[in-house]
């Protein structure tokens, strides 16, 4: 599959910050060059990336991404509005100088707990400072095309031009081909359980620039502040930073590349949510056993409460995946009555979460809020995947930098 950056004959040197065109164009040219270089040589380790991260056009692109994503302040209390008042250009100049001189040090992220939709559980969310989010976004801009060249088709979460709908379509296609035994699971505490050293080993398979590796280690060890106490863990990619989903995918790529589809069935992974489409119950049981072993080798484990084997049959229970309920049904028209296929519709939890979100935005306590603001918030809520009009997946606040609970 051709990559999202695979356009135009340009080298990494040609894709400089002085390239003609807009700042966005020069950044895209850089990403094209990095992607093609990584794709052409799967064994290449990139050794000159540090100067790309503090390039002014890259930092500006990172700021645009952070500003568009919104979010709350970190432990320093600095909001996006404060940065704009201070001067975005001024801030980016300071960040560039700190990165260039090796003086940049991240603040601990602010830890908050947000409820998981439809459950009584809470998900930890780490909110880095705005300045640190810009640096993380810049690192993601440079590293993402390199690792995208390696990522496999079974991975769908938080990747360019790949969505939950694409993952769900694999379930439809495989069930049509006869794979109707499904292993359903997710990885327990994935974002907090990934061992730092093993994660860095995965990054070092493609990156040899010591300055960039040091930058990543500093990010991972920045720690989180909760109730006035700073904790620095030896595992985890704190959920909430712009670079966190990329690092999660980099680490779980080790699972993707050793998975034996012919023996264990078709793996579909959306970040830490997994299903395996199998031909028989025996294959499904073997797939679950293999998955448990492979995750154990990575220092991870399936979440017992969400792990099960489902048999897709007409009138059966079906399964929930990525906010949709998937169930085998028979066609309802005379022309389709002989067909049995996998249909999907928003899962109950996703629908309930959307209703709760709409109620909170339109509550009577907000009668004094301008109608235009409420309409904008409702529109953004649906566009972010928090409404059933999108696709019923988890709300973006689960990975969104600095979103308040």
């Amino acid at each position: 599959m051709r990559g999202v950056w695979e356009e135009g004959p340009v080298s990494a040197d040609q894709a400089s910050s002085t390239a003609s065109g807009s700042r966005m164009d020069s950044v895209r040219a850089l990403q094209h060059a990095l992607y093609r270089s990584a794709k052409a040589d799967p064994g290449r380790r990139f050794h000159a990336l540090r100067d790309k991260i503090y390039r002014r056009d890259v930092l500006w692109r990172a700021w645009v991404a952070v500003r568009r994503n919104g979010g709350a302040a970190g432990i320093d209390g600095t909001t996006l509005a404060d940065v704009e008042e201070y001067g975005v250009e001024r801030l980016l100049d300071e960040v560039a100088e700190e990165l260039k001189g090796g003086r940049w040090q991240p603040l601990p992220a602010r830890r908050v707990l947000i409820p998981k939709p439809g459950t009584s559980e809470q998900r930890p969310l780490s909110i880095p400072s705005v300045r640190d989010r810009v640096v993380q976004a810049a690192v993601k801009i440079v590293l993402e095309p390199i690792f995208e060249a390696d990522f496999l088709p079974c991975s769908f979460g938080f990747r360019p031009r790949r969505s939950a709908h694409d993952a769900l379509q694999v379930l439809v296609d495989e069930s049509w081909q006869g794979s109707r035994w499904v292993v359903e699971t997710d990885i327990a505490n994935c974002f907090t359980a990934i061992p730092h050293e093993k994660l860095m080993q995965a990054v070092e398979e493609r990156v040899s620039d010591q300055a960039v590796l040091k930058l990543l280690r500093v990010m991972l060890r920045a720690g989180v502040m909760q109730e006035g106490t700073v904790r620095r863990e030896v595992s985890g990619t704190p959920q909430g930073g712009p670079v966190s989903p990329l690092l999660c995918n980099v680490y779980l790529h080790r699972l993707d590349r050793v998975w034996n589809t012919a023996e264990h069935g078709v793996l579909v992974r959306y970040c830490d949510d997994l299903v395996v489409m199998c031909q028989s119950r025996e294959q499904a049981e073997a797939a679950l056993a293999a998955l448990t072993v492979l995750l154990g080798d990575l220092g991870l484990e399936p979440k017992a409460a969400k792990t099960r084997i489902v048999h897709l049959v007409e009138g059966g229970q079906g399964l929930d995946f990525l906010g949709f309920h998937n169930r085998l049904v028979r066609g309802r028209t005379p022309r389709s009555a002989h067909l049995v296929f996998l249909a999907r519709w928003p899962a109950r939890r996703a629908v309930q979460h959307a209703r709760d979100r709409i109620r909170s935005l339109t509550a009577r306590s907000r009668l004094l809020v301008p109608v235009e603001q409420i309409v904008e918030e409702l529109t953004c809520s649906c566009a972010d995947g928090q409404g059933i009009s999108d696709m019923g997946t988890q709300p973006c606040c689960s990975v969104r930098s600095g979103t308040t609970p």
Side-chain angles (χ1 to χ4, degrees):
M1 183 181 70
R2 291 177 63 84
V4 63
W5 302 289
E6 199 168 2
E7 297 175 7
V10 61
S11 69
D13 292 332
Q14 290 171 329
S16 66
S17 58
T18 59
S20 61
S22 69
R23 280 185 273 203
M24 294 298 183
D25 292 336
S26 62
V27 172
R28 184 57 57 88
L30 169 65
Q31 291 181 309
H32 291 167
L34 292 171
Y35 176 85
R36 288 197 304 275
S37 297
K39 199 70 174 178
D41 185 358
R44 177 176 177 179
R45 299 177 69 213
F46 289 76
H47 66 280
L49 297 174
R50 171 174 169 266
D51 60 312
K52 313 293 189 299
I53 293 174
Y54 60 73
R55 266 177 37 169
R56 187 53 183 274
D57 54 345
V58 171
L59 287 175
W60 180 261
R61 171 75 170 270
W63 160 256
V64 170
V66 169
R67 184 67 185 88
R68 182 176 60 244
N69 198 44
I75 64 170
D76 60 353
T78 302
T79 64
L80 294 167
D82 293 336
V83 170
E84 290 173 332
E85 183 179 350
Y86 179 78
V88 176
E89 301 279 351
R90 180 181 173 187
L91 175 75
L92 297 184
D93 285 340
E94 293 173 357
V95 169
E97 286 302 315
E98 290 176 4
L99 290 171
K100 188 174 182 179
R103 300 187 304 275
W104 178 78
Q105 289 291 331
L107 295 172
R110 181 166 66 90
R111 172 64 59 85
V112 296
L113 299 175
I114 61 174
K116 289 187 177 181
T119 71
S120 58
E121 299 180 38
Q122 290 186 312
R123 176 186 293 113
L125 183 69
S126 302
I127 307 176
S129 68
V130 174
R131 180 186 295 250
D132 294 345
R133 297 208 295 267
V134 170
V135 175
Q136 287 194 31
V139 170
K140 179 178 180 246
I141 287 169
V142 174
L143 295 186
E144 187 174 51
I146 296 172
F147 290 103
E148 270 294 321
D150 295 335
F151 289 162
L152 297 176
C154 64
S155 171
F156 293 90
F158 309 105
R159 295 183 56 190
R161 294 187 183 175
R162 294 175 75 81
S163 69
H165 282 301
D166 298 322
L168 291 164
Q169 187 59 43
V170 176
L171 273 62
V172 174
D173 296 341
E174 290 300 319
S175 66
W176 185 259
Q177 297 296 326
S179 297
R180 295 181 178 177
W181 287 89
V182 185
V183 177
E184 177 189 8
T185 188
D186 68 7
I187 301 172
N189 304 315
C190 180
F191 282 90
T192 58
I194 295 176
H196 288 173
E197 285 308 312
K198 289 186 176 181
L199 171 60
M200 292 306 301
Q201 290 171 11
V203 174
E204 288 170 11
E205 291 180 8
R206 274 302 206 168
V207 177
S208 60
D209 188 323
Q210 293 302 311
V212 174
L213 295 174
K214 179 181 178 181
L215 191 65
L216 287 173
R217 288 191 177 94
V218 169
M219 288 180 182
L220 292 172
R221 295 171 182 168
V224 296
M225 177 177 285
Q226 186 173 6
E227 298 178 351
T229 303
V230 176
R231 295 186 344 199
R232 290 183 169 85
E233 307 288 352
V234 296
S235 65
T237 59
Q239 193 171 2
V243 78
S244 183
L246 173 62
L247 294 178
C248 182
N249 276 331
V250 168
Y251 191 63
L252 293 180
H253 176 65
R254 290 187 160 190
L255 167 66
D256 301 341
R257 68 188 182 190
V258 299
W259 184 259
N260 189 329
T261 299
E263 182 178 355
H264 296 129
V266 176
L267 174 68
V268 181
R269 183 176 65 80
Y270 194 94
C271 205
D272 58 343
D273 289 324
L274 308 161
V275 298
V276 185
M277 305 295 291
C278 304
Q279 294 282 339
S280 65
R281 183 176 187 88
E282 291 73 20
Q283 187 182 42
E285 291 172 346
L288 179 55
L291 192 60
T292 303
V293 171
L294 293 174
L295 288 175
D297 293 341
L298 297 175
L300 305 171
E301 61 180 0
K303 189 170 185 177
K306 293 190 176 181
T307 301
R308 61 176 184 152
I309 294 176
V310 179
H311 187 199
L312 297 176
V313 294
E314 185 181 352
Q317 58 181 331
L319 75 151
D320 289 349
F321 184 53
L322 302 180
F324 275 95
H325 183 71
N326 301 264
R327 184 180 296 184
L328 215 60
V329 300
R330 183 174 294 276
R332 296 183 178 181
T333 66
R335 296 184 60 183
S336 64
H338 65 290
L339 298 176
V340 177
F341 58 93
L342 191 68
R344 65 174 180 262
W345 51 86
R348 289 183 179 179
R349 285 200 312 180
V351 173
Q352 187 59 50
H353 178 67
R355 288 172 175 166
D356 293 342
R357 177 66 174 165
I358 292 171
R359 287 193 188 99
S360 67
L361 292 176
T362 58
R364 295 182 64 85
S365 60
R366 306 190 74 205
L367 286 175
L368 298 180
V369 177
V371 173
E372 294 79 8
Q373 179 179 336
I374 292 177
V375 170
E376 182 180 356
E377 290 174 351
L378 286 169
T379 303
C380 292
S381 177
C382 292
D384 284 344
Q386 293 178 340
I388 59 174
S389 63
D390 188 80
M391 63 185 188
T393 57
Q394 296 179 20
C396 286
C397 64
S398 62
V399 293
R400 195 172 170 185
S401 304
T403 301
T404 54

PDB file of all heavy atoms in Angstrom, residues 132-144:
ATOM      1  N   ASP A 132       5.481  21.439  26.091  1.00  0.00           N
ATOM      2  CA  ASP A 132       5.908  20.048  25.924  1.00  0.00           C
ATOM      3  C   ASP A 132       5.087  19.340  24.863  1.00  0.00           C
ATOM      4  O   ASP A 132       5.592  18.461  24.149  1.00  0.00           O
ATOM      5  CB  ASP A 132       5.810  19.303  27.257  1.00  0.00           C
ATOM      6  CG  ASP A 132       6.789  19.841  28.295  1.00  0.00           C
ATOM      7  OD1 ASP A 132       7.721  20.570  27.901  1.00  0.00           O
ATOM      8  OD2 ASP A 132       6.609  19.543  29.492  1.00  0.00           O
ATOM      9  N   ARG A 133       3.808  19.697  24.730  1.00  0.00           N
ATOM     10  CA  ARG A 133       2.979  19.096  23.682  1.00  0.00           C
ATOM     11  C   ARG A 133       3.485  19.488  22.295  1.00  0.00           C
ATOM     12  O   ARG A 133       3.435  18.692  21.357  1.00  0.00           O
ATOM     13  CB  ARG A 133       1.513  19.502  23.867  1.00  0.00           C
ATOM     14  CG  ARG A 133       0.903  19.015  25.163  1.00  0.00           C
ATOM     15  CD  ARG A 133      -0.589  18.808  25.071  1.00  0.00           C
ATOM     16  NE  ARG A 133      -1.396  19.975  24.848  1.00  0.00           N
ATOM     17  CZ  ARG A 133      -1.964  20.714  25.800  1.00  0.00           C
ATOM     18  NH1 ARG A 133      -1.739  20.433  27.082  1.00  0.00           N
ATOM     19  NH2 ARG A 133      -2.754  21.719  25.503  1.00  0.00           N
ATOM     20  N   VAL A 134       3.965  20.708  22.159  1.00  0.00           N
ATOM     21  CA  VAL A 134       4.522  21.148  20.877  1.00  0.00           C
ATOM     22  C   VAL A 134       5.759  20.321  20.528  1.00  0.00           C
ATOM     23  O   VAL A 134       5.927  19.868  19.381  1.00  0.00           O
ATOM     24  CB  VAL A 134       4.872  22.653  20.928  1.00  0.00           C
ATOM     25  CG1 VAL A 134       5.671  23.059  19.689  1.00  0.00           C
ATOM     26  CG2 VAL A 134       3.607  23.489  21.027  1.00  0.00           C
ATOM     27  N   VAL A 135       6.630  20.085  21.499  1.00  0.00           N
ATOM     28  CA  VAL A 135       7.834  19.288  21.247  1.00  0.00           C
ATOM     29  C   VAL A 135       7.445  17.848  20.897  1.00  0.00           C
ATOM     30  O   VAL A 135       7.988  17.261  19.958  1.00  0.00           O
ATOM     31  CB  VAL A 135       8.772  19.322  22.468  1.00  0.00           C
ATOM     32  CG1 VAL A 135       9.971  18.395  22.245  1.00  0.00           C
ATOM     33  CG2 VAL A 135       9.251  20.744  22.731  1.00  0.00           C
ATOM     34  N   GLN A 136       6.507  17.272  21.633  1.00  0.00           N
ATOM     35  CA  GLN A 136       6.068  15.911  21.324  1.00  0.00           C
ATOM     36  C   GLN A 136       5.479  15.824  19.921  1.00  0.00           C
ATOM     37  O   GLN A 136       5.735  14.873  19.178  1.00  0.00           O
ATOM     38  CB  GLN A 136       5.029  15.444  22.347  1.00  0.00           C
ATOM     39  CG  GLN A 136       5.601  15.114  23.710  1.00  0.00           C
ATOM     40  CD  GLN A 136       4.607  14.338  24.566  1.00  0.00           C
ATOM     41  OE1 GLN A 136       3.789  13.576  24.061  1.00  0.00           O
ATOM     42  NE2 GLN A 136       4.682  14.522  25.869  1.00  0.00           N
ATOM     43  N   ALA A 137       4.690  16.825  19.550  1.00  0.00           N
ATOM     44  CA  ALA A 137       4.092  16.827  18.209  1.00  0.00           C
ATOM     45  C   ALA A 137       5.172  16.934  17.137  1.00  0.00           C
ATOM     46  O   ALA A 137       5.062  16.313  16.075  1.00  0.00           O
ATOM     47  CB  ALA A 137       3.096  17.974  18.086  1.00  0.00           C
ATOM     48  N   ALA A 138       6.222  17.715  17.396  1.00  0.00           N
ATOM     49  CA  ALA A 138       7.321  17.827  16.436  1.00  0.00           C
ATOM     50  C   ALA A 138       8.058  16.501  16.290  1.00  0.00           C
ATOM     51  O   ALA A 138       8.427  16.097  15.177  1.00  0.00           O
ATOM     52  CB  ALA A 138       8.280  18.934  16.882  1.00  0.00           C
ATOM     53  N   VAL A 139       8.286  15.817  17.407  1.00  0.00           N
ATOM     54  CA  VAL A 139       8.924  14.502  17.359  1.00  0.00           C
ATOM     55  C   VAL A 139       8.064  13.529  16.559  1.00  0.00           C
ATOM     56  O   VAL A 139       8.573  12.759  15.733  1.00  0.00           O
ATOM     57  CB  VAL A 139       9.163  13.972  18.793  1.00  0.00           C
ATOM     58  CG1 VAL A 139       9.602  12.515  18.764  1.00  0.00           C
ATOM     59  CG2 VAL A 139      10.208  14.825  19.501  1.00  0.00           C
ATOM     60  N   LYS A 140       6.768  13.573  16.758  1.00  0.00           N
ATOM     61  CA  LYS A 140       5.858  12.696  16.014  1.00  0.00           C
ATOM     62  C   LYS A 140       5.913  12.987  14.519  1.00  0.00           C
ATOM     63  O   LYS A 140       5.923  12.070  13.700  1.00  0.00           O
ATOM     64  CB  LYS A 140       4.437  12.885  16.534  1.00  0.00           C
ATOM     65  CG  LYS A 140       3.405  12.031  15.813  1.00  0.00           C
ATOM     66  CD  LYS A 140       2.030  12.232  16.398  1.00  0.00           C
ATOM     67  CE  LYS A 140       1.027  11.350  15.651  1.00  0.00           C
ATOM     68  NZ  LYS A 140       0.057  12.088  14.899  1.00  0.00           N
ATOM     69  N   ILE A 141       5.944  14.255  14.143  1.00  0.00           N
ATOM     70  CA  ILE A 141       5.998  14.624  12.727  1.00  0.00           C
ATOM     71  C   ILE A 141       7.207  14.002  12.051  1.00  0.00           C
ATOM     72  O   ILE A 141       7.125  13.516  10.912  1.00  0.00           O
ATOM     73  CB  ILE A 141       6.032  16.160  12.590  1.00  0.00           C
ATOM     74  CG1 ILE A 141       4.658  16.755  12.920  1.00  0.00           C
ATOM     75  CG2 ILE A 141       6.464  16.584  11.182  1.00  0.00           C
ATOM     76  CD1 ILE A 141       4.662  18.265  13.057  1.00  0.00           C
ATOM     77  N   VAL A 142       8.341  13.975  12.734  1.00  0.00           N
ATOM     78  CA  VAL A 142       9.586  13.467  12.139  1.00  0.00           C
ATOM     79  C   VAL A 142       9.650  11.943  12.184  1.00  0.00           C
ATOM     80  O   VAL A 142      10.074  11.306  11.210  1.00  0.00           O
ATOM     81  CB  VAL A 142      10.800  14.091  12.860  1.00  0.00           C
ATOM     82  CG1 VAL A 142      12.101  13.462  12.363  1.00  0.00           C
ATOM     83  CG2 VAL A 142      10.826  15.606  12.637  1.00  0.00           C
ATOM     84  N   LEU A 143       9.225  11.338  13.283  1.00  0.00           N
ATOM     85  CA  LEU A 143       9.388   9.894  13.432  1.00  0.00           C
ATOM     86  C   LEU A 143       8.282   9.080  12.767  1.00  0.00           C
ATOM     87  O   LEU A 143       8.517   7.950  12.319  1.00  0.00           O
ATOM     88  CB  LEU A 143       9.462   9.517  14.920  1.00  0.00           C
ATOM     89  CG  LEU A 143      10.665  10.028  15.704  1.00  0.00           C
ATOM     90  CD1 LEU A 143      10.649   9.444  17.111  1.00  0.00           C
ATOM     91  CD2 LEU A 143      11.973   9.692  15.007  1.00  0.00           C
ATOM     92  N   GLU A 144       7.083   9.621  12.698  1.00  0.00           N
ATOM     93  CA  GLU A 144       5.946   8.847  12.198  1.00  0.00           C
ATOM     94  C   GLU A 144       6.157   8.273  10.797  1.00  0.00           C
ATOM     95  O   GLU A 144       5.892   7.086  10.575  1.00  0.00           O
ATOM     96  CB  GLU A 144       4.679   9.684  12.238  1.00  0.00           C
ATOM     97  CG  GLU A 144       3.425   8.884  11.896  1.00  0.00           C
ATOM     98  CD  GLU A 144       2.160   9.694  12.085  1.00  0.00           C
ATOM     99  OE1 GLU A 144       2.098  10.820  11.549  1.00  0.00           O
ATOM    100  OE2 GLU A 144       1.251   9.210  12.778  1.00  0.00           O
TER     101      GLU A 144
END
